[in-house]
Amino acid sequence: VEMGRFLTEHTQFRGFAPLAGTLDYRPRQGEPTTVAALFAFTRNQGDGWTYTLSHLQRFATTYRGEHGTDLEAAHALYLGQMATLGRRVGELHLALSSPTTESAFSPEPITAKDLKAWGREVRDAGTQAMDLLKASLPTLPGPAQADAEWLLGERRRLLARIQDLATGPVSASKTRFHGDLHLGQVLLVADDFLIIDFEGEPARSLAERRRKHSPLRDVAGMLRSFDYARATALGRACAGRPADRPALDAAFADWQRRARASFLAGYRIGVDGAASCPASPEEFHRLVTLLEVDKAIYELRYELSQRPTWVGVPLTGLRALLNGSLGANL
């Protein structure tokens, strides 16, 4: 409600469903509670997650049936849409970085103290994730055990990498941001996108969700969502056809690299001029990578606790991030 009201009343950004009103309970003592909210309705073609999986399913069918598939042509429409999505996210962050008298939304400079604190938080989360991974190792699905053993062996390098990423100045501001952005949080509207669900990560406290941070956390969340889409689509396409996995794995990995690059290219256009986005490519790369590592660590802890059969996705993601094979697209 707070995000919706601010975007509706104080910005020109329109890539979301405007807030129309709320129903609040106001007790005689204590804080009021919002029990219902009404947002504008927009006809749409479904969410980005479903659309992405449908695209990859169609691609897999074509890839199997045609030798020498032109990968760039096969993904041309989709990649154009991802560039549009990137622009909309960038425009959201540009709106949230604008000067305002609303203290809860006023941008603040990212300080050396902030970076140090963020790095410490990611390292602590990484340490906890490694401990949980080690304890869970005997129960992990067979294919994930090798990746888990590799990551455990690289524990020191991972923590040192986090330290390096959180070192050095970042010339940008911290602001409010979406907080739980992924392909399931955007709706396809014709050839455009609408961003929804601004409540942040439900598992976090309201104070954490309202805390200002680099909005590049949203970018990291979307990049990780491409990884989950790749893994989900690959599993579905190879169900009952294991012999197809090596070729499709490589083709889907190529799609993921292209999707990341298109989204990021669109984002840099949409966010241009925002104080919250580092102008330096090196600072941008370093901060997005730090936040993507943070997101993958969060995913690893979640999957180990809730969905062990999915643990391979953040494991392979962390391996790629640690080895730099994804960072080249930043």
Side-chain angles (χ1 to χ4, degrees):
V1 168
E2 184 182 40
M3 290 286 287
R5 180 175 290 121
F6 179 80
L7 290 171
T8 301
E9 298 177 358
H10 298 280
T11 77
Q12 298 299 312
F13 180 66
R14 290 298 176 261
F16 73 110
L19 177 69
T22 64
L23 177 63
D24 299 334
Y25 169 66
R26 298 181 179 275
R28 292 183 178 179
Q29 295 182 341
E31 294 291 324
T33 300
T34 298
V35 295
L38 180 66
F39 295 86
F41 174 74
T42 301
R43 295 189 181 279
N44 62 84
Q45 290 79 54
D47 63 81
W49 174 258
T50 303
Y51 175 72
T52 296
L53 294 184
S54 296
H55 167 74
L56 291 174
Q57 182 180 15
R58 292 191 299 271
F59 168 72
T61 301
T62 302
Y63 188 78
R64 285 191 180 105
E66 298 180 10
H67 295 292
T69 300
D70 185 335
L71 298 181
E72 184 172 355
H75 300 306
L77 175 61
Y78 180 87
L79 295 178
Q81 290 168 325
M82 290 304 100
T84 298
L85 175 57
R87 285 199 302 274
R88 294 296 169 261
V89 175
E91 289 164 0
L92 167 66
H93 292 169
L94 178 63
L96 290 172
S97 72
S98 302
T100 177
T101 57
E102 296 280 329
S103 60
F105 287 87
S106 179
E108 301 173 13
I110 296 175
T111 65
K113 184 178 180 181
D114 289 324
L115 274 177
K116 185 177 181 180
W118 296 347
R120 183 173 60 250
E121 290 171 3
V122 180
R123 288 197 308 275
D124 289 348
T127 297
Q128 294 171 17
M130 292 300 102
D131 291 343
L132 182 58
L133 183 62
K134 184 176 181 179
S136 305
L137 188 60
T139 63
L140 293 182
Q145 286 196 357
D147 285 328
E149 290 172 349
W150 181 89
L151 187 60
L152 288 169
E154 298 292 331
R155 176 176 180 144
R156 289 186 178 181
R157 188 159 73 97
L158 174 62
L159 297 179
R161 176 65 171 149
I162 294 170
Q163 178 68 37
D164 290 342
L165 291 170
T167 300
V170 170
S171 302
S173 299
K174 56 184 179 180
T175 66
R176 296 290 289 273
F177 54 102
H178 185 283
D180 190 26
L181 192 64
H182 53 76
L183 287 166
Q185 302 283 48
V186 298
L187 300 178
L188 183 63
V189 180
D191 288 326
D192 212 329
F193 287 92
L194 196 75
I195 302 172
I196 61 173
D197 292 351
F198 284 84
E199 76 273 16
E201 290 182 354
R204 298 184 185 274
S205 68
L206 282 175
E208 288 179 297
R209 288 184 251 176
R210 297 180 72 237
R211 187 177 65 168
K212 296 169 187 174
H213 205 293
S214 169
L216 294 180
R217 291 186 73 167
D218 289 341
V219 173
M222 189 61 70
L223 295 179
R224 291 298 307 140
S225 191
F226 290 133
D227 197 13
Y228 269 81
R230 175 199 57 78
T232 301
L234 182 63
R236 292 182 180 181
C238 297
R241 306 178 69 169
D244 291 354
R245 180 172 285 273
L248 279 177
D249 192 11
F252 281 9
D254 175 83
W255 163 83
Q256 183 182 354
R257 287 189 292 270
R258 294 174 188 270
R260 288 169 62 94
S262 295
F263 175 81
L264 287 166
Y267 179 79
R268 294 304 294 260
I269 294 172
V271 81
D272 186 46
S276 58
C277 184
S280 162
E282 188 277 332
E283 290 184 4
F284 180 86
H285 176 282
R286 178 160 43 88
L287 190 51
V288 171
T289 304
L290 173 66
L291 298 172
E292 195 173 357
V293 169
D294 183 31
K295 184 67 173 179
I297 287 172
Y298 172 87
E299 293 165 357
L300 178 59
R301 295 172 63 186
Y302 178 85
E303 305 300 8
L304 286 170
S305 301
Q306 305 294 331
R307 303 187 303 182
T309 57
W310 281 87
V311 74
V313 181
L315 282 174
T316 56
L318 283 167
R319 184 169 189 158
L321 287 164
L322 192 54
N323 289 334
S325 57
L326 290 179
N329 283 332
L330 297 177

